[in-house]
Amino acid sequence: MTYAGSHLATNDAPLLGVNIDHVATLRNARGGDFPSPVEAARLVVDAGADIVTFHLREDRRHIRDDDVARLRETIRAPLNFEAAVTDEMLAIIERTRPEHVCLVPERRQEVTTEGGLEVAGQLARIREACVRLAEAGARVSLFIGADPAQIEAAAAAGAPCIELHTGAFANAWWARDAQAMAHELARLREGLRLGRSLGLRTHAGHGLALWSPGVERPADEPPSSTHMVAALPEVAELHIGHALVGHALFVGLAQAVRDFQAEAVLARRAGR
Ligand code: PXP
């Protein structure tokens, strides 16, 4: 489905952070400067995206240091800098001064960020990183699984926000596994509620998608994974990359932003 208008007015739909890493992946496939993730960031902000998200990985497999510098210089929307908890990354963040930081786990061999950050097992280290990043003016979020022990640890670490990893739910959605979807969605709902009860701002992201453009959803199929997560009232922000950039191949980047935003708005309206 594609939506004709610019994004529908609402007071309470989640903000949309657009992850531009996949534009950098496409650029890096040929080693040059095209397509530019910085140009893509400018375009998604012009289209109404609330936040520009990027992950500077240790191996620089997509976003590079010069992208980070250019994003900081040219993008007027808040930047959400995703990074592993390493001294190198903390120092780059302190220099860059993004508005937001999301601390994520990182394994060299993984294709994408496969699990949540282990907060409970390294509380002192995460707490120290949160203090350092807050001093650098960043609002810190921890990317964690919907596991009560990790959510409680995130609050104990002093992070103001958590982002719950929606990957397991998204995989169940792609597989159309109704039982797993219901199970994962319930875990997310409970995790979000627990986070909110501990005073945390709660976000969600990873693997979320729309129905393909031009494909009418059969009545017996579920709504999109983006819809199902956006409908959870505790979700204050969604961070979406892969499926949004994929959707953009069919409808263009600006329309893709509008389509994901409209989906979130409609999900919230439906839930009222
Ligand atoms: N949120 C976080 C913390 C991530 O690391 C990622 C992927 O880099 C996303 C959201 C977006 O995931 P996807 O690209 O699957 O939409």
Side-chain angles (χ1 to χ4, degrees), residues 19 21-22 53 55 57 62 82 102 104 112-113 143 163 204-208 239-244:
N19 183 313
D21 296 350
H22 296 286
T53 295
H55 183 176
R57 293 186 78 104
H62 37 57
E82 294 180 354
C102 183
V104 301
T112 179
T113 312
F143 188 46
E163 180 176 332
H206 208 277
L208 299 176
H239 291 278
I240 303 182
H242 181 258
L244 191 150

Side-chain angles (χ1 to χ4, degrees), residues 18 20 23 35-46 52 75 253:
V18 175
I20 53 164
V23 179
S36 158
V38 180
E39 287 302 322
R42 209 174 292 160
L43 204 153
V44 300
V45 171
D46 286 347
V52 170
I75 301 302
L253 203 43

Side-chain angles (χ1 to χ4, degrees), residues 143-148 151 162-173 180-196 202-208 224-238:
F143 188 46
I144 55 177
D147 169 354
I151 297 166
I162 51 172
E163 180 176 332
L164 293 191
H165 196 309
T166 54
F169 167 72
N171 289 342
W173 184 84
M181 258 194 282
H183 174 74
E184 294 300 338
L185 198 61
R187 284 188 69 225
L188 288 169
R189 188 184 296 112
E190 281 160 30
L192 291 162
R193 285 182 184 162
L194 174 60
R196 287 288 282 269
T202 45
H203 309 158
H206 208 277
L208 299 176
S224 73
S225 51
T226 296
H227 179 111
M228 293 173 81
V229 170
L232 303 173
E234 296 83 6
V235 175
E237 279 174 28
L238 289 170

